[in-house]
Amino acid sequence: MATTVITGRDISLSFTGGTDIEAQATSAVLTKTNLRETYQTLDGEAYKTTNIEASFALSMLADWGKANSVCEALWTAAETAPDNTITMTLTSATGAVFVFDAFPEFPTAGGAGTDAQTVDFTFKVSKGAVTETFS
């Protein structure tokens, strides 16, 4: 069986409200982690997963002032409803779909010299809950 190479350009990303994120995004990475305790018993090590966490790292070109601006939507959400989640959907070209609710974060504003203005986020995924659908 031949290996299928999947790149970042093989994913699509959408937020609640349908803001255009793909044209601005330069990187999008979902990470899910087991928090596991290790206990030393008389028989050796024993393990217990105590929690599952997830985060979503997004880097993008700043889009302040653009119609349906992601930066402006996230700023407004973080300012007016910081404890309400935004639903995000990450879809791979191979058919894998990841849906999760994340808390909004404030984007940065400004930049250096002639560099493009960029913003980086690390969103906390609510309760570490990610719904996966693999086709």
Side-chain angles (χ1 to χ4, degrees):
M1 174 194 265
T3 300
T4 301
V5 177
I6 303 169
T7 70
R9 290 185 176 167
D10 294 323
I11 62 171
S12 62
L13 179 63
S14 63
F15 283 179
T16 301
T19 52
D20 177 22
I21 185 69
E22 289 176 45
Q24 301 301 115
T26 57
S27 176
V29 178
L30 174 64
T31 304
K32 195 166 178 175
T33 307
N34 288 320
L35 299 180
R36 188 173 293 119
E37 297 287 331
T38 302
Y39 302 98
Q40 296 297 330
T41 71
L42 297 176
D43 285 341
E45 290 184 349
Y47 305 95
K48 172 67 177 163
T49 298
T50 58
N51 198 13
I52 297 174
E53 292 184 345
S55 64
F56 179 64
L58 174 67
S59 296
M60 59 177 274
L61 299 170
D63 67 347
W64 298 104
K66 176 184 169 224
N68 295 320
S69 166
V70 175
C71 288
E72 292 171 16
L74 287 171
W75 185 284
T76 300
E79 191 167 56
T80 61
D83 295 326
N84 291 349
T85 58
I86 300 166
T87 300
M88 300 184 186
T89 304
L90 183 70
T91 306
S92 170
T94 58
V97 178
F98 304 87
V99 179
F100 52 96
D101 293 330
F103 295 100
E105 297 292 343
F106 285 103
T108 56
T114 58
D115 293 343
Q117 291 184 28
T118 60
V119 292
D120 296 303
F121 301 95
T122 300
F123 297 97
K124 179 173 181 61
V125 174
S126 179
K127 300 177 186 171
V130 178
T131 302
E132 309 89 7
T133 306
F134 306 114
S135 58

